[in-house]
Amino acid sequence: MLEIKNLHAEIEGKPILRGLSLKMNPGEIHAIMGPNGSGKSTLSYILSGKEDYDITEGEVLFNGENLLEMEADERAAAGVFLAFQYPIEIPGVTNMNFLKTAVNAQRNARDEGDMPIPEFMKLVKEKAKHLNVSDEMLKRSLNVGFSGGEKKRNEILQMAMLEPQLAILDETDSGLDIDALKVVAEGVNALRDASRSFLVITHYQRLLDYIVPDHVHVLSKGQIVKSGDKSLALELEANGYAEFVDEEVA
Amino acid sequence: MPAVQETIDQVKTIDVDQYKYGFETDIESEKAPQGLNEDVIRFISEKKGEPEWLLEWRLDAFERWKAMEEPDWARVNYPKIDFQSLYYYSAPKGLGEGPKSLDEIDPEILKTYEKLGIPLQEQEILAGIAPENRVAVDAVFDSVSVVTTFKEELAKEGVIFCPISEAVHSHPELVKKYLGSVVPLSDNYYSALNSAVFSDGSFVYIPKGVRCPMELSTYFRINEQNTGQFERTLIIADEGAYVSYLEGCTAPMRDENQLHAAVVELVTHDDAEIKYSTVQNWYPGDAEGKGGIYNFVTKRGDCRGKNSKISWTQVETGSAITWKYPSCILRGDNSVGEFYSIAISNGMQQIDSGTKMVHLGKNTSSRIISKGISAGKSSNTYRGLVSAHKKASNARNFTQCDSLLIGDKCGAHTVPYIESKNATAQFEHEATTSKISDDQLFYCLQRGIGEEEAIALIVNGFAKEVLQQLPMEFAVEAQKLVGISLEGSVG
């Protein structure tokens, strides 16, 4: 479903990704772990279409299509979703209105037409309930004055409404206490199915106790330096990233 | 909320640089001779069959105007206006003597309003709309009012709603008493000019204790070339009365600039309230700044009675230059003034607008919420005065001026003036300037929302506090307008 081949990218002339390759099949959960500055967030932004980066080499195929040639909104409509590490505030635009605009924009990009309002309302209420998102939170301006946990739950609500094919979770666990983490993880697990894939980017293995990955990759200096199964995450938890950072220094 | 989608649909249906209302109506007009002199003023007055006192009033204004100098303190630039090259009166042939019944009006004019979406057929309006949602319309075409709807129904409540040229004849005592009582003859250069040559506009009187049963509105259309529009609006709410009034404006696309210098006067007596809303969408000129309307307007409300209230709400998206300050004189004790404004500038548009809240009475309060949105190479200035007279004890003002910039070639400026001569007055001023951030745009894009839709969404959010003040049906209209005005503002 997703195939990243030898991806090189830089920002303002500074290389960040240096030959990253990764292959994901439908229904799989891949975790990307790595020390700060290893290029984790860059990878999530490049996949979702942020324009600040120069791709100097390599390609990314999404269902056989050249993902890097698509605009960010086209990628979204094609099924790429990014749960932001720091969700953005938009004053005066209610959470509900934003959700509806996004859902309909994607439907219209696929020529499906707007979702009828009653159907939309029913769907939002149902999904919001599972994620502990109150009616009051739906009426507030998008992310404005939301706590860290509220913002992250809200990202997962958007994901649940948009039903992407590839969901990228960028440090969704950062700033969450254990209860909030469980709610978020349950939300993600509820969306698991045979055709939906997740790329979970995290610094700590804690999140992976709740969202169990099929594959774990270690990203260091813009490359995947080690891949394994769930046990690799535990290994990292025990030994830290020193092994990989040292390699870089050497 | 559905309006956001409508905004987008609207945006999608038109090309960049296309002003939807830019068509021209091909009709024969009767004009005053070109230029400005006493004879032209006499011509206008005679056309309207005015009484002697009004002609004298006009001539007095003209004398004062001649002695005045064109002000240049606003942050706007334009070539000197040649007042002798303009026409000061233009009326569709056969309409010179004021409005007739609909079947006597040139079908071309009716078609114009149909295209603009302004309902003039009472029967049609009556068909599907509940009484409380009806809107009475006075349609002004160049220098004359062509039709006023629902006059009879309003008259049952004692409400007078008619062209001011008609009110001069039907209610001379009211016109004489109030005309120029809020904006005096020599108040400023353009109000003096207006007083000399004003052609038509609306007159509204709401009697004691009456709550006007429907929204009133005037729709201004400039059609004729090289013609200035100088309308005069006068609204009086007597003791305990209430009225909500809306004005809309459009003009054809023309290469040369057209002058619009209106005067609006509002008077509220004890316990009365006037809510005045404007959706201004005059032709803004093309992307290079060629053509467009000069909108130099004087609007002022006088809260003459105690516990009275005047509220201005404006959505300004059109005009090459907008230069106006709808103001409130808070004369009556406990009176309240409000100003809610969205001013959007794109392309080469220039705006210098704001308000004046003059606190004279005790316990008077005012609130100013101004949202300026600048895009393209435009310039957008908020200029506002809040003052307290020495007798205005416990005067209160809250001002919030927010500017939003789209792109990096536009400018926003905030120029507040605060004068307090009373130690118990409390004035608060807050101002912010922000840019639509790349992060906000990317967030929307990542959710599948296209760029123009995203901007319309963010801007409508930014302006929400003001949009909420508009009557419901106009709020939807205004939201659409916001999207259209900002079309092509990025990339």
Side-chain angles (χ1 to χ4, degrees):
Chain A
M1 185 200 57
L2 181 75
E3 198 173 355
I4 304 172
K5 295 181 190 167
N6 189 31
L7 189 63
H8 289 256
E10 53 184 52
I11 185 162
E12 287 162 1
K14 189 178 158 234
I16 312 265
L17 299 185
R18 313 167 195 221
L20 188 148
S21 297
L22 176 69
K23 195 165 183 252
M24 286 173 72
N25 295 313
E28 288 180 347
I29 295 189
H30 289 240
I32 300 237
M33 302 183 70
N36 290 330
S38 58
K40 300 192 299 287
S41 286
T42 297
L43 175 63
S44 69
Y45 283 141
I46 287 176
L47 292 177
S48 54
K50 202 165 197 222
E51 281 174 353
D52 307 349
Y53 305 92
D54 294 320
I55 311 294
T56 50
E57 214 182 317
E59 64 174 344
V60 179
L61 297 176
F62 181 62
N63 292 327
E65 298 218 28
N66 186 344
L67 189 72
L68 300 178
E69 274 186 0
M70 296 160 77
E71 297 292 333
D73 52 334
E74 292 169 352
R75 298 184 198 192
V80 176
F81 180 92
L82 170 64
F84 284 67
Q85 183 179 2
Y86 303 108
I88 307 296
E89 298 182 0
I90 305 186
V93 176
T94 63
N95 201 4
M96 183 82 96
N97 188 18
F98 184 77
L99 271 174
K100 185 156 70 76
T101 308
V103 166
N104 286 334
Q106 294 202 10
R107 286 175 63 107
N108 284 308
R110 298 188 295 259
D111 291 323
E112 293 167 11
D114 284 359
M115 184 182 281
I117 305 252
E119 190 186 324
F120 171 81
M121 294 303 290
K122 196 171 156 245
L123 205 60
V124 174
K125 300 260 159 158
E126 188 188 303
K127 308 250 184 202
K129 205 176 148 202
H130 288 306
L131 289 160
N132 258 344
V133 172
S134 64
D135 282 2
E136 189 261 334
M137 223 172 110
L138 289 170
K139 286 179 195 152
R140 271 153 62 186
S141 289
L142 181 65
N143 292 323
V144 177
F146 284 24
S147 70
E150 285 174 330
K151 283 184 181 172
K152 297 296 171 75
R153 272 186 278 142
N154 202 45
E155 292 291 292
I156 305 303
L157 174 62
Q158 293 181 24
M159 182 166 86
M161 288 299 294
L162 295 168
E163 302 187 322
Q165 244 202 306
L166 171 66
I168 305 161
L169 275 57
D170 187 7
E171 308 223 10
T172 295
D173 51 334
S174 68
L176 292 188
D177 61 31
I178 195 72
D179 294 325
L181 186 71
K182 279 183 188 167
V183 173
V184 165
E186 276 165 26
V188 171
N189 288 329
L191 287 167
R192 287 189 76 159
D193 71 23
S195 62
R196 183 168 297 130
S197 310
F198 292 85
L199 187 61
V200 180
I201 290 169
T202 181
H203 192 77
Y204 302 103
Q205 88 88 34
R206 189 180 65 158
L207 177 67
L208 306 179
D209 285 342
Y210 301 96
I211 303 173
V212 182
D214 301 301
H215 301 276
V216 175
H217 310 278
V218 180
L219 185 65
S220 180
K221 264 193 129 183
Q223 278 183 325
I224 287 179
V225 291
K226 194 167 182 180
S227 296
D229 61 10
K230 160 83 180 136
S231 61
L232 177 57
L234 294 168
E235 212 177 287
L236 286 169
E237 179 78 353
N239 304 332
Y241 292 108
E243 175 190 347
F244 306 104
V245 175
D246 284 346
E247 258 175 37
E248 282 165 30
V249 173
Chain B
M1 274 182 253
V4 174
Q5 188 50 48
E6 284 174 41
T7 305
I8 306 324
D9 295 342
Q10 199 95 5
V11 169
K12 282 180 188 155
T13 57
I14 51 175
D15 296 321
V16 177
D17 274 345
Q18 192 144 5
Y19 175 72
K20 191 178 154 197
Y21 309 102
F23 62 89
E24 184 179 343
T25 309
D26 191 15
I27 44 153
E28 261 192 275
S29 298
E30 184 176 18
K31 290 186 194 173
Q34 195 172 28
L36 182 56
N37 52 49
E38 267 195 40
D39 289 341
V40 168
I41 292 168
R42 287 178 192 280
F43 175 94
I44 296 170
S45 188
E46 198 183 310
K47 271 284 155 204
K48 308 216 167 256
E50 286 176 352
E52 189 62 26
W53 69 265
L54 192 50
L55 174 62
E56 290 303 322
W57 194 79
R58 286 176 181 276
L59 293 172
D60 184 12
F62 182 55
E63 283 307 311
R64 290 167 192 251
W65 178 74
K66 280 194 290 188
M68 294 167 98
E69 293 215 12
E70 201 176 341
D72 60 1
W73 45 262
R75 192 187 278 269
V76 294
N77 285 304
Y78 57 96
K80 213 166 163 48
I81 298 172
D82 177 6
F83 290 95
Q84 295 306 333
S85 72
L86 294 176
Y87 289 93
Y88 290 84
Y89 180 86
S90 167
K93 268 220 163 117
L95 278 175
E97 284 84 48
K100 305 270 165 68
S101 76
L102 276 182
D103 21 319
E104 286 174 52
I105 297 171
D106 188 329
E108 282 300 315
I109 296 178
L110 293 181
K111 259 192 246 165
T112 301
Y113 286 95
E114 207 172 294
K115 263 176 146 170
L116 295 168
I118 309 300
L120 296 182
Q121 308 275 1
E122 284 185 26
Q123 295 311 317
E124 283 176 22
I125 308 170
L126 284 170
I129 303 176
E132 63 275 18
N133 293 336
R134 282 179 204 153
V135 179
V137 180
D138 183 18
V140 177
F141 195 90
D142 288 336
S143 303
V144 293
S145 167
V146 290
V147 66
T148 309
T149 60
F150 292 111
K151 261 160 96 171
E152 283 158 29
E153 194 167 330
L154 288 166
K156 280 183 212 151
E157 306 274 349
V159 173
I160 305 166
F161 178 43
C162 67
I164 198 157
S165 55
E166 188 183 317
V168 167
H169 298 287
S170 57
H171 302 89
E173 70 300 338
L174 287 174
V175 177
K176 209 168 172 174
K177 182 174 171 189
Y178 291 103
L179 186 70
S181 74
V182 185
V183 180
L185 276 185
S186 52
D187 185 79
N188 68 69
Y189 190 78
Y190 287 99
S191 71
L193 176 65
N194 173 288
S195 300
V197 301
F198 78 89
S199 39
D200 223 334
S202 300
F203 176 81
V204 177
Y205 173 79
I206 316 289
K208 276 184 193 172
V210 171
R211 194 180 167 86
C212 188
M214 62 181 91
E215 298 270 344
L216 303 184
S217 78
T218 302
Y219 195 88
F220 295 103
R221 174 79 179 167
I222 300 179
N223 187 60
E224 194 60 40
Q225 210 157 358
N226 292 326
T227 300
Q229 192 174 47
F230 304 93
E231 86 270 359
R232 187 101 194 175
T233 298
L234 179 55
I235 302 176
I236 303 130
D238 217 325
E239 285 173 31
Y242 169 85
V243 64
S244 168
Y245 177 94
L246 182 120
E247 64 171 355
C249 339
T250 58
M253 293 164 75
R254 295 193 185 284
D255 286 345
E256 70 278 1
N257 299 101
Q258 285 168 287
L259 177 63
H260 175 252
V263 173
V264 176
E265 297 178 279
L266 312 181
V267 179
T268 48
H269 289 286
D270 291 357
D271 306 302
E273 179 177 351
I274 298 175
K275 193 174 157 66
Y276 191 105
S277 313
T278 303
V279 175
Q280 186 265 111
N281 186 23
W282 294 118
Y283 176 53
D286 69 10
E288 274 77 53
K290 196 170 182 199
I293 301 283
Y294 291 163
N295 192 32
F296 299 167
V297 172
T298 306
K299 289 179 166 175
R300 196 173 301 157
D302 186 358
C303 285
R304 217 164 268 184
K306 60 180 180 358
N307 308 318
S308 65
K309 180 175 175 185
I310 289 177
S311 178
W312 298 100
T313 304
Q314 58 172 27
V315 178
E316 303 279 333
T317 61
S319 297
I321 302 176
T322 299
W323 185 8
K324 64 169 200 172
Y325 312 91
S327 306
C328 297
I329 313 287
L330 302 169
R331 198 183 304 274
D333 291 347
N334 311 318
S335 59
V336 177
E338 291 177 337
F339 175 76
Y340 296 96
S341 171
I342 300 171
I344 299 180
S345 57
N346 197 356
M348 300 290 284
Q349 282 176 285
Q350 306 175 61
I351 296 179
D352 192 314
S353 182
T355 184
K356 286 187 270 186
M357 292 291 174
V358 181
H359 293 256
L360 301 178
K362 294 186 184 68
N363 306 316
T364 48
S365 65
S366 59
R367 183 178 171 83
I368 299 170
I369 308 286
S370 166
K371 304 276 181 177
I373 298 143
S374 334
K377 293 178 185 164
S378 66
S379 156
N380 201 330
T381 301
Y382 168 85
R383 190 185 300 276
L385 166 74
V386 178
S387 72
H389 189 262
K390 57 181 186 294
K391 288 179 183 159
S393 46
N394 298 315
R396 294 279 180 280
N397 166 268
F398 175 75
T399 299
Q400 187 185 332
C401 291
D402 298 324
S403 305
L404 185 68
L405 301 171
I406 302 174
D408 52 13
K409 294 189 179 66
C410 52
H413 314 273
T414 302
V415 192
Y417 303 84
I418 297 172
E419 298 168 5
S420 178
K421 295 194 176 109
N422 186 302
T424 61
Q426 283 186 23
F427 295 162
E428 280 177 74
H429 182 95
E430 288 177 10
T432 65
T433 302
S434 51
K435 258 186 97 162
I436 289 191
S437 70
D438 291 344
D439 287 342
Q440 282 176 326
L441 268 182
F442 177 62
Y443 192 75
C444 293
L445 287 169
Q446 211 300 307
R447 298 304 184 243
I449 303 168
E451 193 163 69
E452 297 211 324
E453 186 173 6
I455 287 179
L457 187 73
I458 295 167
V459 169
N460 272 313
F462 172 76
K464 194 180 187 181
E465 288 159 281
V466 178
L467 288 170
Q468 280 170 341
Q469 297 298 324
L470 287 170
M472 190 56 198
E473 54 269 53
F474 302 118
V476 173
E477 198 61 36
Q479 282 197 344
K480 286 187 207 165
L481 206 52
V482 168
I484 294 166
S485 312
L486 291 169
E487 193 186 323
S489 60
V490 282

